């Protein structure tokens, strides 16, 4: 499906309006849950790491650990899992409902390629918006970690900020954006496939939705392991 | 090798199965230009499959399918886009796009072709007038009744003036007056527009009306519906009946009523 989607994307019409609508729905629509996810993840990372580091008298590196964990792993993975839950399920349910109510057949009968009209805008939007939302999660997480570290764990603000800045390398940042790009691709393909292969009426729509989220989550975690290994090898 | 003929639609020894289940077996029939072919049969006899095969939404296991004289059996999805421009399909429940207004649904084909807005609006208005629904143009499909959704579905199918229209049980589950309105639209298309069509149904009321009524323009310029009397017979409406994926009858309504086949007699009696 991914191959077909990419090949057909090269010919007209391009469905720019549909892509923008999807970007808005995925990006702006997911902003609140991403801010909450990032903020609380940063906060809990700061809480747990500074508590452990206190034993060694090294609370000054709390910022380093929070940023490294956030940018390399927690930001991309948690943001993508949240997007898979919110957006992947919605895509599978929407396309599944269109299939069972014959809207996809009607679309084909009216001369429209459903892969181009339905899959490509979602694929493109997810591949752009997942990295963008991950960036938001990382930034909010860093702020959450700073608030917790400075207010609850008595880590000086300047120490947290300087250790956080020093922790990041270009590899971390690039790796932290490549991962959500791949995760966005996984969510789009898995969810569109589940939706378009729906059969069995409304029960089938429910089944497709569950399948889209579960399979996306598993593939994201598996891909994260292999991508982590590859990125580390290039570091 | 591609082969052409003069039929509107032709099935030649078409067979189709899902998994182990046979849906259609050696189905052959011809729809001539301007003719309405009424496909009858009980549930699960492969009636709707015939329409999906014409549209190329599914492919047969064997046999040949011709649309407007062109062999479309081996056509790719891309090739079928051109063929589908000649076809209009009325789905059983309308299959309107939930997220679009009636105006956007009816004009969908034209929006996709990138036509200018005034031209689209003119076409949509004309088609909504044809189905007597000019006042619902900016409503959403969820705000319409079942009968209105079917009529919007008909309007959508007719945009772009297709030469062939496929009806998939458009009157199923509707009250008699609404069903009659839809049948009259099909009769108008057949008699006044010269459109060829396949009309899938299992309702005897549909069969009786389509085979006995005809549309004509009266002295006042209005469309009038008249019934054929004993002296005349509608030659542009023919029937096939399916049973377990096989064609068990092909002919006119007179031949259908006189059939001695026990299944057909039982079907006509119970429907």
């Amino acid at each position: 499906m991914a191959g077909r989607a990419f090949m057909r994307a090269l010919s007209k019409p391009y469905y720019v309006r549909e892509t923008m609508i999807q970007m808005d729905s995925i990006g702006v629509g997911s902003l609140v849950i991403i801010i909450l996810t990032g903020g609380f993840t940063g906060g809990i990372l700061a809480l747990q790491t500074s508590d452990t580091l206190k034993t060694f008298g090294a609370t000054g590196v709390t910022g380093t650990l929070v940023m490294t964990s956030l940018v390399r792993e927690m930001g991309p993975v948690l943001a993508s899992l949240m997007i898979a839950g919110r957006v992947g399920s919605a895509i599978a349910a929407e396309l599944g409902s269109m299939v069972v109510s014959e809207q996809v057949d009607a679309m084909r009968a009216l001369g429209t390629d459903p892969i181009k009209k339905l899959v490509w805008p979602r694929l493109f939007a997810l591949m752009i918006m997942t990295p963008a939302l991950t960036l938001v999660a990382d930034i909010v997480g860093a702020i959450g970690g700073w608030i917790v570290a400075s207010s609850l764990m008595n880590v000086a603000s300047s120490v947290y900020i300087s250790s956080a800045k020093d922790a990041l390398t270009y590899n971390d940042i690039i790796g932290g954006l490549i991962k959500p790009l791949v995760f966005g691709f996984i969510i789009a393909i898995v969810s569109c496939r589940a939706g378009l292969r729906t059969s069995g009426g409304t029960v089938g729509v429910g089944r497709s939705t569950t399948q889209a989220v579960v399979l996306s989550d598993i593939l994201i975690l598996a891909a994260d392991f292999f991508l982590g290994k590859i990125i580390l090898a290039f570091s | 090798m591609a082969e052409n003929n003069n039929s509107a639609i032709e099935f030649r020894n078409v067979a189709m199965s899902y998994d182990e289940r046979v849906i259609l077996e050696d189905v052959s029939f011809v729809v001539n230009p301007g003719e309405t072919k009424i496909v009858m049969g009980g549930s699960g006899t492969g009636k709707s499959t015939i329409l999906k095969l014409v549209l190329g939404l599914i492919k047969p296991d064997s046999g040949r399918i011709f649309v407007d004289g062109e062999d479309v059996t081996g056509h790719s999805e891309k090739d079928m886009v051109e063929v589908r421009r000649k076809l209009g399909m009325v789905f059983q429940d309308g299959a309107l796009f939930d997220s679009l207004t009636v105006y956007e649904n009816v004009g969908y084909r034209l929006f996709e072709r990138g036509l200018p807005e005034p031209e689209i609006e003119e076409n949509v208005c004309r088609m909504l007038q044809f189905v007597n629904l000019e006042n619902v143009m900016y409503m959403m499909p969820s705000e319409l009744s079942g009968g209105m959704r079917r009529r919007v579905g008909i309007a959508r199918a007719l945009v772009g003036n297709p030469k062939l229209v496929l009806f998939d049980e458009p009157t199923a589950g509707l009250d008699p007056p609404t069903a009659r309105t839809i049948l009259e639209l099909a009769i108008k298309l057949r008699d006044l527009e010269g459109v060829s069509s396949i009309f899938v149904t299992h309702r005897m009321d549909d069969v009786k009306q389509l085979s006995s009524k005809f549309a004509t323009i009266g002295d006042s310029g209005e469309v009038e519906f008249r019934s054929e009397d004993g002296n005349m017979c509608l030659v542009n409406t023919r029937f096939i009946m399916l049973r377990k994926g096989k064609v068990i009858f092909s002919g006119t309504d007179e031949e259908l009523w006189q059939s001695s086949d026990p299944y057909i007699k039982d079907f006509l009696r119970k429907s």
Side-chain angles (χ1 to χ4, degrees), chain A residues 4 8 11 13 15 17-18 94 97-114 117-118, chain B residues 52 55-58 77 81 84-85 87 89 91-99 104-105 108-109 112 156-157 168:
Chain A
R4 275 191 291 160
R8 292 179 195 177
S11 57
Y15 298 114
R17 187 172 164 264
E18 277 80 358
E94 185 186 358
S97 304
M98 288 182 76
V99 169
V100 298
S101 60
E102 293 187 303
Q103 289 178 54
V104 173
D105 278 347
M107 198 173 269
R108 289 175 68 197
L110 290 163
T112 301
D113 180 351
K117 175 96 175 171
L118 300 174
Chain B
K52 288 185 176 178
L55 281 164
L57 300 179
I58 48 175
E77 189 73 13
V81 170
R84 287 173 190 151
R85 284 194 177 171
L87 296 163
M89 170 82 182
F91 286 86
Q92 199 169 348
D93 290 315
L96 301 181
F97 303 123
D98 302 329
S99 55
E104 289 166 326
N105 262 286
Y108 184 86
R109 209 191 275 252
E112 287 289 294
R156 184 177 67 179
D168 188 7

